[in-house]
Amino acid sequence: WSSDVCSSDLERIITLAASSASIHGSIRETLATAHSIDWTGKAADHYRDRLLTIRNSLSTHDDEARSTAQIAHIAHVSTPQGGA
């Protein structure tokens, strides 16, 4: 990971992290609706387990994207103009 992050790259990283979180928010709403379907049995339990796995994966991705954006910002701020 290079500490040389230019402004346009930083903006792209931050935008991608925000976009991912926004899209994942919509997906989470859909998953919540699907999770509350009145359905019982092994298939229903398996389906709900899969929804939970997907929801957890989205949360992990959002956390990692946010961390990456923070690291890029710190690298950008700590790098003197014009590079090292």
Side-chain angles (χ1 to χ4, degrees):
W1 176 270
S2 171
S3 64
D4 185 19
V5 178
C6 70
S7 293
S8 63
D9 288 342
L10 173 63
E11 290 170 15
R12 249 182 286 172
I13 290 167
I14 291 170
T15 299
L16 287 171
S19 294
S20 291
S22 176
I23 291 167
H24 292 167
S26 296
I27 294 171
R28 279 189 194 88
E29 289 175 19
T30 302
L31 292 175
T33 301
H35 186 68
S36 64
I37 293 172
D38 186 17
W39 180 29
T40 58
K42 288 184 180 183
D45 293 341
H46 177 73
Y47 182 69
R48 288 187 181 93
D49 287 345
R50 294 299 303 144
L51 292 178
L52 181 59
T53 299
I54 293 167
R55 196 168 40 240
N56 289 340
S57 294
L58 294 175
S59 294
T60 299
H61 179 271
D62 288 346
D63 291 344
E64 291 173 358
R66 192 171 22 261
S67 294
T68 299
Q70 290 171 343
I71 290 167
H73 177 72
I74 291 167
H76 178 70
V77 170
S78 66
T79 302
Q81 294 296 54

